[in-house]
Amino acid sequence: MSVIEVEHLHKRYGNDVAVHDVSFSVEEGEIFGVLGPNGAGKTTTVECLSGLRPADGGRVSVLGLDPRADRDALRQVLGVQLQESGLPDKLKVREALELYASFYERPVEVAPLMERLGLADKADTRFKNLSGGQKQRLAIALAMVGGPKVVILDELTTGLDPHARRSTWELVEQVRDAGVTVLLVTHFMEEAERLCDRLALIDSGRVVAVDTPAGLASRGGQTQRMRFRPSAPLDEELLRALPEVTTVTWHGPQIEIGGTGNLVQAVTSLLARRHIIAADLRVEQASLDDAFIALTGRDELV
Ligand code: ADP
């Protein structure tokens, strides 16, 4: 059974359509990403899923529950961290967790939760004195304190430095490893690529594709890209004649070649036959960025 089902969700604010038609389902135990640029309708979608907003059309269910009609039952099994937790500045970490724990029928114990999420030494620190990364740890802890089966994490790492972002990613993996299904909203490609088992790419209120990160990346039409500075003039027609090569672009003295299959071997053996050395060679696998551009026609995610 799918843990989350979204079928033809439609949501308007007045006359403005925030979500045109969004469908996806999330299986038990996965980290499922909802990825798309700002304004795509991601937050509206998860707000409908968590019962915070009524849908104007379509159907959503979480663990077989209707988020509006079964709101009280859903609250016991769904942990939600939405953008801007908005806790009072003076509230201490332990107090916040104990307060939230009191809202649930079967909360987890606060002390081991703080330990697990690296907050034990901040138990008596006030919210306003936490760093951005620590606030996000607390947000995850608050989403977990009710002992949920599913958690929704929305733009968890926005504004964090790369180190804090990476340690937050490890926490999300820990949450999943503890048997909790995770729905992760993000506009960071790298985050989606690193964390998600599958993801829905959303643009302008519509699902563009649902796939694994690797599956999505390969929809961009390229699977690999090489970039280097040839040590001697290189006739690009020879490159284009290789069946593995799909694109050739120059960036000053550097050449960038996109393609599929055994691209690297095909290009390096051509270079070897011509006695050309590939200086500063970089090889990259296709990324979600490429897929995003190919699937939506936009040049960037934000
Ligand atoms: P995302 O999370 O992908 O950035 P949102 O769901 O926040 O997208 O927003 C989708 C669209 O709905 C945007 O055009 C946004 O301006 C609009 N929107 C979001 N929340 C509201 C609201 N409370 N009232 C009116 N319009 C809104």
Side-chain angles (χ1 to χ4, degrees):
M1 188 193 88
S2 301
V3 168
I4 297 176
E5 282 176 7
V6 181
E7 287 170 22
H8 303 296
L9 177 67
H10 183 82
K11 176 71 192 168
R12 288 183 301 272
Y13 294 109
N15 289 329
D16 295 335
V17 179
V19 176
H20 282 270
D21 182 359
V22 165
S23 302
F24 59 83
S25 59
V26 179
E27 304 304 317
E28 188 174 355
E30 48 178 8
I31 300 181
F32 187 92
V34 174
L35 175 74
N38 287 327
K42 305 182 297 296
T43 295
T44 303
T45 299
V46 297
E47 286 177 346
C48 292
L49 270 175
S50 52
L52 291 171
R53 289 188 191 281
D56 292 318
R59 203 181 70 83
V60 288
S61 82
V62 180
L63 294 159
L65 300 169
D66 174 330
R68 295 294 282 186
D70 308 318
R71 206 166 163 175
D72 290 343
L74 184 61
R75 249 171 31 86
Q76 297 299 328
V77 287
L78 175 69
V80 182
Q81 169 271 325
L82 295 170
Q83 291 175 51
E84 308 293 327
S85 62
L87 287 173
D89 277 351
K90 290 192 173 154
L91 200 64
K92 294 176 180 169
V93 167
R94 183 191 292 111
E95 292 169 348
L97 284 164
E98 283 171 353
L99 175 68
Y100 272 59
S102 73
F103 301 154
Y104 295 95
E105 286 162 12
R106 286 177 300 279
V108 300
E109 278 183 63
V110 166
L113 181 65
M114 287 193 296
E115 194 67 49
R116 213 150 45 86
L117 296 190
L119 286 167
D121 59 343
K122 298 288 163 204
D124 293 311
T125 304
R126 295 186 195 282
F127 182 69
K128 67 169 181 198
N129 294 329
L130 296 174
S131 70
Q134 288 158 355
K135 282 182 176 156
Q136 292 304 52
R137 277 170 190 271
L138 177 58
I140 297 177
L142 291 172
M144 292 291 289
V145 77
K149 295 198 169 79
V150 181
V151 289
I152 295 178
L153 306 173
D154 190 0
E155 297 290 359
L156 196 59
T157 63
T158 299
L160 296 189
D161 62 55
H163 177 72
R165 180 170 295 164
R166 266 161 221 287
S167 59
T168 307
W169 290 346
E170 282 166 20
L171 287 187
V172 176
E173 284 171 336
Q174 269 183 37
V175 169
R176 189 260 310 272
D177 294 346
V180 178
T181 305
V182 180
L183 184 73
L184 181 82
V185 175
T186 184
H187 70 274
F188 287 116
M189 292 287 183
E190 195 193 347
E191 182 162 295
E193 212 151 23
R194 152 82 200 267
L195 280 181
C196 298
D197 298 304
R198 289 189 310 134
L199 43 97
L201 185 58
I202 296 191
D203 188 34
S204 305
R206 291 192 168 82
V207 174
V208 181
V210 178
D211 209 334
T212 59
L216 266 184
S218 67
R219 293 193 197 195
Q222 294 182 3
T223 55
Q224 288 172 56
R225 201 162 40 198
M226 319 174 52
R227 196 169 164 141
F228 57 88
R229 189 166 40 82
S231 62
L234 174 58
D235 179 357
E236 75 177 64
E237 291 312 315
L238 291 173
L239 286 169
R240 290 187 189 279
L242 295 171
E244 291 84 357
V245 171
T246 50
T247 58
V248 177
T249 330
W250 287 93
H251 302 272
Q254 297 249 351
I255 190 166
E256 187 175 295
I257 305 166
T260 53
N262 261 338
L263 177 75
V264 177
Q265 201 189 343
V267 171
T268 47
S269 60
L270 172 80
L271 296 177
R273 286 198 300 278
R274 308 247 140 205
H275 305 289
I276 296 172
I277 293 164
D280 305 329
L281 173 65
R282 286 209 324 252
V283 179
E284 290 168 7
Q285 295 301 312
S287 69
L288 280 180
D289 280 296
D290 303 321
F292 181 78
I293 294 164
L295 291 167
T296 66
R298 291 173 188 250
D299 351 336
E300 56 184 349
L301 199 50
V302 279

